[in-house]
Amino acid sequence: MYVTRGVGARGSFGDLAGFLFLNSVLTFQTSALRLNFCNNIKMMVPSVTLMSGVQMPLLGLGTYKLQDLEQLKMSVSSALQAGYRAFDTGAVYGNEAHLGQVLKELLPMYGLSREDVFIISKLSPLDHGPRAKEGCMRSLKLLDCEYIDLYLVHWPGMEGLDPGDSRHSEYRAQSWATLEEFYASGRFKAIGVSNYTSKHIRELLMSCRVPPAVLQIECQPKLIQRELRDLCMETGIHFQAYSSLGKGALLREPEVVDIVKSCGRTPAQVLLRWAVQQGISVLPRSSQPSRVQENAQVFDFQLSEMDIMRLDALNCGTRFCKRDSSKIA
């Protein structure tokens, strides 16, 4: 039996290639979290079983800034062809309606149905608190879905309030209570948070009826988020990364380029593999079909322990997404 050391640990996620020809199921389990494998057209993509019981692929397509309908359609089509089955959007992205429209059009072309894909969306900071129900309903309507697989509170603060305003905590609690209602009714299959700090998560865990299944936050070798990853592992929250490529800046990082030379992969593949090899799900975004397909080829090779350590050593607290939620009360 193959054993790993847990989501967020420094150990290897495993040599997936050795299992692919068996078309079998490899299971990783730590408390309420389990990793399984699901079949796709061109590859097998590992999926994490969230504490709610739903399976979420470790690889998803990010759609931030993909607001043009035709551009989004091209990107989603390339992703479906490459084997992606998860798609990440949010109210503030302004493309929920386009994503819903594109998926309805493209899924039958690939012999797929709504049940074959995993849709992630997020509550706008403008809809925190009293407006949370309205925001949740809007997302369902725009995506034209009876349910959303994973719905997140996008930001721990209410838009327009000073970061230190004590009302942020009250609005977070109201928003989470609303998400719990949608979860109980089956309209959200799993609920979670995005950009929460350890303080925000601990506060939520003290009062919630349904704990968050996912934390989505920036994570890359220059911001490895060790404290948050450890907290997620301890509490059964799945840790999901965005901005894995550092908005492109990390593709030119000398340490990354050096590892690329030794393993024969692209910089993007090395950076994404650094995450998924440690059980962290990723949401790379690209409008270029070749890049979308390239980003999917991260489950048929393995970084060495030394490679992981070299990339971890880049950690210096650098954020490529400049908004800092640590200042939110």
Side-chain angles (χ1 to χ4, degrees):
M1 179 178 178
Y2 190 85
V3 179
T4 67
R5 287 191 280 173
V7 174
R10 295 180 183 272
S12 165
F13 179 68
D15 184 2
L16 303 178
F19 291 90
L20 294 184
F21 78 96
L22 295 175
N23 192 28
S24 63
V25 175
L26 175 64
T27 300
F28 159 83
Q29 190 161 359
T30 175
S31 64
L33 195 148
R34 185 171 71 253
L35 295 181
N36 302 300
F37 285 81
C38 56
N39 286 307
N40 285 311
I41 293 175
K42 292 193 173 182
M43 63 178 179
M44 296 179 70
V45 176
S47 67
V48 58
T49 300
L50 304 177
M51 63 175 70
S52 63
V54 300
Q55 292 188 25
M56 179 180 72
L58 276 178
L59 172 70
L61 180 72
T63 66
Y64 177 56
K65 290 190 175 180
L66 294 179
Q67 294 179 320
D68 178 77
L69 178 60
E70 290 306 312
Q71 186 182 62
L72 179 63
K73 182 177 179 180
M74 181 172 61
S75 185
V76 171
S77 181
S78 300
L80 288 169
Q81 184 179 19
Y84 291 71
R85 293 296 178 267
F87 300 88
D88 178 78
T89 182
V92 298
Y93 297 176
N95 61 7
E96 286 176 305
H98 282 170
L99 180 61
Q101 177 183 339
V102 162
L103 286 172
K104 280 208 165 187
E105 181 178 342
L106 292 177
L107 288 178
M109 296 172 58
Y110 290 95
L112 300 169
S113 65
R114 167 66 183 91
E115 292 71 26
D116 295 314
V117 294
F118 192 97
I119 297 175
I120 306 168
S121 195
K122 310 176 194 72
L123 181 74
S124 169
L126 286 170
D127 292 326
H128 252 312
R131 295 198 293 267
K133 183 175 182 179
E134 179 184 344
C136 293
M137 292 297 297
R138 188 185 309 115
S139 289
L140 284 162
K141 181 178 179 180
L142 290 174
L143 284 162
D144 196 14
C145 290
E146 293 183 2
Y147 67 92
I148 295 173
D149 298 277
L150 172 63
Y151 201 75
L152 309 175
V153 177
H154 202 157
W155 187 253
M158 172 71 147
E159 192 73 27
L161 293 183
D162 290 337
D165 196 310
S166 61
R167 287 175 292 176
H168 287 303
S169 179
E170 176 187 343
Y171 288 141
R172 279 196 300 274
Q174 290 180 26
S175 295
W176 190 255
T178 299
L179 265 65
E180 288 178 325
E181 292 175 10
F182 277 72
Y183 172 74
S185 69
R187 287 173 289 181
F188 296 162
K189 299 301 182 183
I191 53 178
V193 296
S194 182
N195 299 301
Y196 273 39
T197 66
S198 296
K199 180 192 75 172
H200 300 139
I201 292 174
R202 289 192 174 95
E203 175 192 73
L204 176 57
L205 291 174
M206 290 290 290
S207 61
C208 65
R209 288 179 291 123
V210 179
V214 172
L215 167 65
Q216 184 187 115
I217 198 163
E218 180 180 359
C219 181
Q220 29 77 14
K222 289 195 172 185
L223 186 68
I224 67 174
Q225 302 279 21
R226 177 60 58 194
E227 179 188 358
L228 275 170
R229 286 163 59 186
D230 287 346
L231 176 60
C232 286
M233 184 165 61
E234 292 166 8
T235 55
I237 300 171
H238 176 68
F239 188 93
Q240 183 174 65
Y242 66 73
S243 293
S244 297
L245 311 183
K247 295 189 174 181
L250 292 176
L251 301 178
R252 301 179 294 276
E253 181 68 33
E255 201 73 31
V256 174
V257 173
D258 193 50
I259 293 173
V260 163
K261 293 175 183 176
S262 65
C263 70
R265 294 291 178 141
T266 67
Q269 289 169 340
V270 165
L271 290 163
L272 293 170
R273 181 65 197 182
W274 171 83
V276 299
Q277 189 161 314
Q278 299 179 85
I280 300 170
S281 58
V282 292
L283 302 164
R285 169 183 60 87
S286 180
S287 60
Q288 301 179 38
S290 61
R291 293 284 175 82
V292 171
Q293 295 182 21
E294 171 192 318
N295 292 341
Q297 305 305 313
V298 294
F299 300 109
D300 58 349
F301 77 103
Q302 189 173 341
L303 296 175
S304 69
E305 185 79 15
M306 182 58 69
D307 289 338
I308 297 289
M309 291 175 64
R310 289 171 66 186
L311 291 172
D312 279 356
L314 296 175
N315 184 43
C316 58
T318 296
R319 299 177 185 274
F320 292 96
C321 297
K322 297 305 181 183
R323 292 192 74 183
D324 184 2
S325 60
S326 67
K327 296 178 173 57
I328 303 295

